[in-house]
Amino acid sequence: MEKKLIVHYKRINDDYQGWSLWVWNKTDNKEGFEVKQSTIDSFGIIFEINTTTGLEFKEIGILPKFRNWENKEPFDRFFYYNGQKEIYVVEGDKEIYTSLDEIIISTKILQVLYDEPNIIRIVSNRSLLYDDPSTFKIKNKETGKIIVPLRITKRQLNVTYLDIETLNIEDVRSGNYFLVLDNKEFLIEVGEVSSVKADSKILGEIYQEDKIKLRVFSTAKELNIILKKEENSKEIIIPFNYTDNFIWEIDLSTSYYNYLYRYEAIYPTKKLYGIDPYAKLTYDNNKWAILSDDKTKTIEGPVFDISQTIIYEISIRDFTIDENSGVKNRGKYLGLVEENTTIPQSKEILTGISHMKELGVNAVQIMPFYDFEKDENSNDYDWGYMPVSFNSPDGWFSVNKKEKIREVKEMINAFHKNQIKVIMDVVYNHTAETKDKLYNFNAIAYDYYYRKKPDNTYYNGSGCGNEFKTESEYGRKFLLDSLKYWVKEYKIDGFRFDLMGLIDIGTVEKIIKELREIKPDIIIYGEPWHAGGTPVKGVEKGSQKNRGFAVFNDDLRDALKGNVFNINDQGYVQSGSYRDKVMKGIRGSIESFAESPLETINYVSCHDNHTLFDRLSFSNSGSDINTIIKQDKLAQAIIFVSQGIPFIHSGEEFLRTKKGNENSYNAGDDINKIEWKRKKDFYDVFTYYRDLIKLRKEHPAFRMKTKKEVMENIKFYEELGIKIKEPQIAFIIDGKEVNDSWNKILILINPEKKPVSFVLPEGNWMLEFDGNGSVKDAKKFSKEISLPPISLYIFSKN
């Protein structure tokens, strides 16, 4: 007699057409076979497996699939066959059930949330199989009122959505509403909030003559401030006053000035503690903030056009921590204030800020120095890309942790006095918080500031655990307020945004508009990518077109030295490859992703991945140091003759090495420090970089502002009908049209390891720059010239 095993298969949204079941005997590893649908009932599809086929089923494998494997469930299910007649399977649930009752009994509701407008979102351990919306009841415990959902709008695996009548979000915040199901009550918590519109009210600490006002956005039921005079003092707890729109306020006497403070946020199911996200001075590793209104004045930075910017990236610690830096406050904010420091081996080799001035850069990009997650009293190394308190400096770099605001302002003043702009490296795309590890945002507005999936887990496009929800009303307000605070209070001249692909375009546009109203020459740029999947439409390469900000040019970076993720890949300076990409980079990438050359940040290395020297060393196995030096110089020379904004990784100018480490975020000082003795050892490389910077500053032909200028005034040999052999590159810039002192500029590039002859355009050409840097006594050439191996020459003609 034929025996059958009935498999009931439930898909969450009842989309059954095209689905079948793949079955196999796992124990005997027999080839599988397809079972077509038998029928469909109120639960789902019914499949009938004939168990008398001679396969001797022991452990059965089943896998629902769609048509010809165009889709399938993401995992296999297995069970031991002992003559069962029926089993039940639910989409997205690995369990196999023997009865419908077993599914219902084992289903647990994990969380119920109210999403505006008018949606109840139920998160469970598996899909709820109820089809009748009246099965659910929404109860107001205070009034006893019952709301019956209008419909079940959709199901997504373990998430069920109910459409209901309007709920009062304030009542939900206060914990008055419950979902009733099978005689059990489940608290409804605040979910997605859309009714709250951020206004222009100042949040955080507001210092007035006769009082200190604190204003906070919080989704808590109650909010208190906890104060204490010193670490060991008795705590004082004072309640906030609730106004409306989730805003809380409190006025304190000025007698609380310099007190430590934090918040106690009371929710219907929990009590959380944290500091104000707007806190200006954090203390004791973000356990407390200090009510301190620092009066140190910060002077304005130099003013010049964005096209003139030459960016130099540093880490505060790396730059002066070396024992040969000659700096007293090594690795500190105040270490960058010290001028005329030199290495012990030679009093002529300048270090620190005086080195930057000597090099000629006019903008310093400082790696994160807001308060990030690490023990500020520890010597453990960290780059600082796990933010906690965006508005407070980090104490790791300070001499006196209660004076870190003053020390940062003194550092910025030192740069400004030396005509160097300060660009802040900021990481507003994520924070160090988790659902369980609270510092500030999640303490006072739990889950509000982070992007969440339907099951209320976090999106992780940052690769660091969460994404800051920049498109939310108060998330966007915080980001804008924070940036404006740094510009107004600290006179910051620009911002480099980490993982800008996680910041929505609408917020970026507001950033540009509102910061330019404060500081018209502010420079804004960032990484046009993200680390993982995200629901937001953020900044991508090309999305910056005509929006007033720039993005990093990884096309030119990889074309020059090889793809950063493939150590064996050789770029233009090692092998002559990627010639076309280099030529596009020379024109400011206006033929690829940029509308203006001011939208591209041109670089060959930064703090991420290998240093330029290390990469060239790895990809030139067996090459001598002189070859590597030539390639290093050539890569940087191409950056500086290219249209766009040049960017240098600190120490590049004397062959910085991290001993092969490509991700040194926690590798310690030995790997990360700037080794100042290398400036003496490779002084000729330093002078070459210095001459490149001087050349660019003196000649506007290398820093055009518009696509039209570039296309009209830069012509490659191919476009002029002049003979050239690949991989060489040659081009002429019409300097007269952009008010350059050189009417015509000729650049010749030879990446090969042998001399190469170039035909010169008609006329006499003066050699201004060669493989050693600027030529003191310009030499005249005509008709033809032989370029040495791996070199770039610059000629002028008036």
Side-chain angles (χ1 to χ4, degrees), residues 161 389 538 649:
Y161 294 85
S389 292
H649 181 213

Side-chain angles (χ1 to χ4, degrees), residues 310 312 314 319 336-341 350-364 413-421 653 676 679 686 689-691 693-694 697:
I310 299 168
Y312 187 75
I314 71 165
F319 203 64
L336 291 166
V337 172
E338 300 174 36
E339 298 194 46
N340 300 315
T341 55
L350 293 170
T351 64
I353 193 172
S354 294
H355 163 79
M356 280 188 244
K357 190 175 180 182
E358 180 188 20
L359 182 61
V361 295
N362 56 20
V364 59
N413 284 341
F415 283 120
H416 285 173
K417 286 175 184 175
N418 283 286
Q419 298 303 297
I420 298 173
K421 289 187 176 185
E653 66 275 23
W676 284 103
K679 182 179 178 182
F686 164 74
Y689 276 57
R690 183 191 64 192
D691 289 353
I693 292 169
K694 183 173 183 290
K697 282 183 169 180

Side-chain angles (χ1 to χ4, degrees), residues 350-380:
L350 293 170
T351 64
I353 193 172
S354 294
H355 163 79
M356 280 188 244
K357 190 175 180 182
E358 180 188 20
L359 182 61
V361 295
N362 56 20
V364 59
Q365 176 191 300
I366 306 178
M367 287 170 66
F369 61 90
Y370 52 72
D371 203 325
F372 51 86
E373 187 183 51
K374 78 170 300 295
D375 186 346
E376 63 184 11
N377 300 305
S378 164
N379 215 29
D380 293 341

Side-chain angles (χ1 to χ4, degrees), residues 331-429:
K332 304 296 184 183
Y333 299 119
L334 296 181
L336 291 166
V337 172
E338 300 174 36
E339 298 194 46
N340 300 315
T341 55
T342 61
I343 65 172
Q345 296 87 350
S346 174
K347 296 300 180 184
E348 295 180 355
I349 303 295
L350 293 170
T351 64
I353 193 172
S354 294
H355 163 79
M356 280 188 244
K357 190 175 180 182
E358 180 188 20
L359 182 61
V361 295
N362 56 20
V364 59
Q365 176 191 300
I366 306 178
M367 287 170 66
F369 61 90
Y370 52 72
D371 203 325
F372 51 86
E373 187 183 51
K374 78 170 300 295
D375 186 346
E376 63 184 11
N377 300 305
S378 164
N379 215 29
D380 293 341
Y381 187 89
D382 196 280
W383 273 351
Y385 287 91
M386 290 298 281
V388 176
S389 292
F390 290 99
N391 288 0
S392 171
D394 194 87
W396 193 43
F397 305 117
S398 61
V399 174
N400 183 334
K401 296 187 178 13
K402 287 188 176 181
E403 294 291 326
K404 54 190 179 183
I405 293 177
R406 175 186 58 80
E407 292 180 15
V408 169
K409 289 179 177 179
E410 288 185 15
M411 174 188 73
I412 293 169
N413 284 341
F415 283 120
H416 285 173
K417 286 175 184 175
N418 283 286
Q419 298 303 297
I420 298 173
K421 289 187 176 185
V422 176
I423 297 169
M424 194 174 181
D425 188 344
V426 290
V427 190
Y428 289 102
N429 63 79

Side-chain angles (χ1 to χ4, degrees), residues 605-655:
S605 73
C606 65
H607 68 272
D608 275 325
N609 309 113
H610 290 115
T611 67
L612 177 58
F613 176 76
D614 285 348
R615 176 53 190 254
L616 293 174
S617 299
F618 279 128
S619 58
N620 278 286
S621 180
S623 294
D624 62 89
I625 186 68
N626 290 326
T627 298
I628 293 172
I629 288 174
K630 288 177 183 178
Q631 292 172 346
D632 181 284
K633 287 180 175 180
L634 178 58
Q636 208 61 254
I638 293 173
I639 290 293
F640 273 82
V641 299
S642 295
Q643 302 300 314
I645 300 167
F647 172 107
I648 301 173
H649 181 213
S650 56
E652 254 180 357
E653 66 275 23
F654 41 82
L655 307 184

Side-chain angles (χ1 to χ4, degrees), residues 451-453 459-461 467 471 502 532-538:
R451 294 189 186 112
K452 300 183 297 296
K453 299 176 183 178
Y459 280 102
N460 187 24
E467 298 176 25
E471 67 275 22
L502 295 178
T534 177
V536 75
K537 178 65 176 176

Side-chain angles (χ1 to χ4, degrees), residues 8 125 132 138 148 195 369 377 397 456 471 525 560 658:
H8 299 268
N125 62 334
D132 184 356
I138 311 301
V148 177
S195 63
F369 61 90
N377 300 305
F397 305 117
N456 225 36
E471 67 275 22
Y525 58 96
L560 287 173
K658 292 185 181 180

